[in-house]
Amino acid sequence: MQPTPSIENYVRKYVDLNDEELAHFASAFKEVKVKKRQFLIQPNFVARHRYFVLKGAVRAYVVAEDDQDNTIQLAIEEWWISDYNSYMFQQPASMFVMAVEDSTLLQISFEDEQRLKASNYKYETFFRMIAERAAAFMQRRVITSLTMSAEQRYDLLIEKYPEMANRFPQYVIASYLGMTTEFLSRIRKQKLRSKG
Amino acid sequence: MQPTPSIENYVRKYVDLNDEELAHFASAFKEVKVKKRQFLIQPNFVARHRYFVLKGAVRAYVVAEDDQDNTIQLAIEEWWISDYNSYMFQQPASMFVMAVEDSTLLQISFEDEQRLKASNYKYETFFRMIAERAAAFMQRRVITSLTMSAEQRYDLLIEKYPEMANRFPQYVIASYLGMTTEFLSRIRKQKLRSKG
DNA sequence: CGCGCGATTGAGTAATTTCAAATCTAGTGG
DNA sequence: CCACTAGATTTGAAATTACTCAATCGCGCG
């Protein structure tokens, strides 16, 4: 597995910061450790932070009327996670965000993020870029859900994010892909059969 | 119907610009008129612009293997539209973007947008904010597609964006909601029956 | 006034879900 | 370190939801 990522290396992929800026940027984040099954965000509470995963695996999900959970986001090392509707607009959350493994995260509060962005142009650019990437990512997900069958969506996940399939239990992957655990199980069985 | 929107009024909803800045911002856009059925973006070509709708209705869609079109975005007055994956990362488009009515749009090129953002902090903030809104919007769409039935998705669209249902033909609405024209027709019929 | 696109209808079908039960697995306490 | 148990996965059969195909209808616009 890769070495533990750092927020400094990450932010440098997007904007060119000098050492002082890097240190300033990083100082807005606080490291938090969470145990498996611990909640970071719960419905009806305002999401006060967004999280950058240093180590571990986290998922965000909503619980529908029929008690099924639907996974909205998955995050492993170097991914961000939060209830963005709640975080960005500081409104009550609709999601649970929960650690799936013992995890180490960097959290930034909404207020500190605002301060960062106000203090330096480049930070604003950085957050603009990750928001654009998030929008593009979500749009690709809309496209796959509109155009592909359950099996195709699973194949695509395996192809593009093979790591994810190993780090999260099957029922989480299934609910992320918009199908039932049982159906994903059948899809996988059929693949085993045809591949050997 | 509301008066024709302006980019000046729109940008002011997000950032506080003085008259000079407003004029500068607006000068990066060019007004274009398109006829019904005219294409703004086509697959395999790089999307060079994003568009702000002043008047009219536009949709973005992908064509799947089986020749079905799947509507990815709808835009009427005061909405933006493009193939964002293509526009933001300047890669070949996968979508058609087509006028559904004769329309008047403001277009900005990728390069001019970069220049704008580099020239003034506030413009960067503006684009960051609309990217965040786009991400949040797309995420809500993912949530509805994961958690709601075809009928519920239609009800939600009618509730939140009643205008859309009037401006676009039924088959476009159906493909936006991830169902067939026939099935949407049946849903509507059933509603008529129960309401009278 | 008729052409062509969009909407509707019906019948049959495919994809996916539901429910219930059996089996496997990993984590926990003794 | 093992046994136990709760959670996770698998399996089967029946039920649902939504789709396909084909035909018909409606109607706006040239």
Side-chain angles (χ1 to χ4, degrees):
Chain A
M1 202 175 296
Q2 295 94 308
T4 300
S6 75
I7 190 73
E8 288 89 347
N9 285 337
Y10 181 84
V11 68
R12 261 199 296 227
K13 292 180 187 171
Y14 296 92
V15 287
D16 191 30
L17 300 184
N18 64 37
D19 290 351
E20 191 184 339
E21 288 166 334
L22 268 181
H24 177 222
F25 184 85
S27 73
F29 292 84
K30 184 181 160 196
E31 189 172 310
V32 292
K33 285 177 188 289
V34 289
K35 291 274 177 203
K36 188 170 172 169
R37 282 173 218 284
Q38 190 174 326
F39 289 107
L40 294 158
I41 292 169
Q42 283 180 265
N44 304 321
F45 294 84
V46 174
R48 291 167 50 207
H49 304 93
R50 72 159 99 195
Y51 301 90
F52 178 79
V53 181
L54 290 179
K55 184 101 199 57
V58 181
R59 75 172 178 128
Y61 62 98
V62 298
V63 178
E65 300 145 2
D66 58 347
D67 276 2
Q68 295 237 244
D69 16 324
N70 296 97
T71 300
I72 311 304
Q73 281 188 260
L74 299 175
I76 56 176
E77 289 78 14
E78 290 212 292
W79 290 68
W80 295 90
I81 196 162
S82 192
D83 177 334
Y84 290 119
N85 251 307
S86 174
Y87 177 74
M88 292 195 222
F89 309 124
Q90 290 291 289
Q91 283 169 3
S94 60
M95 299 181 196
F96 292 94
V97 175
M98 182 201 251
V100 168
E101 304 173 357
D102 292 354
S103 302
T104 307
L105 313 169
L106 288 179
Q107 70 173 201
I108 184 170
S109 71
F110 180 76
E111 293 78 14
D112 286 341
E113 183 180 318
Q114 304 316 305
R115 275 191 279 273
L116 268 192
K117 286 183 292 208
S119 73
N120 185 329
Y121 200 142
K122 295 177 188 170
Y123 305 154
E124 180 78 79
T125 300
F126 168 75
F127 284 108
R128 192 251 308 155
M129 293 178 87
I130 66 172
E132 285 175 352
R133 288 177 68 90
F137 183 90
M138 284 290 163
Q139 186 166 88
R140 285 196 296 274
R141 216 174 146 200
V142 168
I143 294 174
T144 63
S145 86
L146 288 176
T147 61
M148 297 170 91
S149 70
E151 181 172 2
Q152 290 173 320
R153 297 197 300 275
Y154 176 69
D155 290 343
L156 186 64
L157 182 77
I158 295 298
E159 183 196 327
K160 294 191 73 176
Y161 309 101
E163 184 83 7
M164 293 291 184
N166 302 326
R167 299 287 288 279
F168 293 92
Q170 233 53 196
Y171 74 91
V172 169
I173 299 293
S175 79
Y176 178 79
L177 292 173
M179 67 186 82
T180 58
T181 306
E182 295 95 328
F183 196 64
L184 180 53
S185 173
R186 283 177 237 267
I187 287 172
R188 287 167 55 84
K189 183 187 179 185
Q190 200 203 322
K191 285 187 189 302
L192 282 180
R193 186 164 300 201
S194 66
K195 290 209 175 172
Chain B
M1 203 176 294
Q2 294 95 308
T4 300
S6 76
I7 191 71
E8 289 89 346
N9 285 338
Y10 182 84
V11 69
R12 260 198 297 226
K13 292 180 188 172
Y14 296 93
V15 287
D16 192 29
L17 301 183
N18 64 37
D19 290 351
E20 192 183 340
E21 288 166 333
L22 268 181
H24 177 223
F25 185 85
S27 72
F29 292 83
K30 184 181 160 196
E31 190 172 309
V32 292
K33 285 177 189 289
V34 289
K35 290 277 177 202
K36 188 170 172 171
R37 284 175 216 283
Q38 189 174 328
F39 290 106
L40 294 158
I41 292 169
Q42 284 180 265
N44 304 320
F45 294 85
V46 173
R48 291 167 52 208
H49 304 92
R50 71 160 98 195
Y51 301 89
F52 178 78
V53 180
L54 290 179
K55 186 97 197 59
V58 182
R59 75 173 179 128
Y61 63 98
V62 298
V63 178
E65 301 145 0
D66 57 347
D67 276 3
Q68 295 238 241
D69 9 324
N70 296 96
T71 300
I72 311 303
Q73 279 189 264
L74 299 176
I76 57 175
E77 289 79 15
E78 290 212 292
W79 291 68
W80 295 89
I81 196 161
S82 192
D83 177 333
Y84 289 119
N85 251 306
S86 173
Y87 177 74
M88 292 195 222
F89 308 123
Q90 289 292 288
Q91 284 170 2
S94 60
M95 298 181 197
F96 292 94
V97 175
M98 183 203 252
V100 168
E101 302 173 358
D102 292 355
S103 302
T104 307
L105 313 169
L106 288 179
Q107 69 172 202
I108 184 170
S109 72
F110 180 76
E111 293 78 15
D112 285 342
E113 184 181 318
Q114 303 315 307
R115 276 191 278 274
L116 266 192
K117 287 184 291 208
S119 73
N120 186 328
Y121 199 92
K122 294 178 190 170
Y123 305 155
E124 180 77 78
T125 300
F126 169 75
F127 284 108
R128 192 253 306 156
M129 293 178 86
I130 66 173
E132 285 175 351
R133 289 177 67 91
F137 182 89
M138 284 290 163
Q139 187 166 86
R140 285 195 296 273
R141 216 173 147 200
V142 168
I143 294 174
T144 63
S145 88
L146 288 176
T147 61
M148 297 170 92
S149 69
E151 180 172 1
Q152 289 174 321
R153 297 197 299 278
Y154 175 68
D155 289 343
L156 186 64
L157 181 77
I158 295 297
E159 183 196 327
K160 294 191 72 176
Y161 309 101
E163 183 84 6
M164 293 291 185
N166 302 326
R167 299 287 288 278
F168 293 92
Q170 232 56 192
Y171 76 91
V172 169
I173 299 293
S175 79
Y176 178 81
L177 293 172
M179 68 187 81
T180 58
T181 309
E182 295 95 327
F183 197 63
L184 180 53
S185 173
R186 284 176 234 268
I187 288 171
R188 287 167 54 83
K189 184 186 179 185
Q190 200 202 321
K191 286 188 190 301
L192 281 180
R193 186 164 301 201
S194 66
K195 292 210 176 172

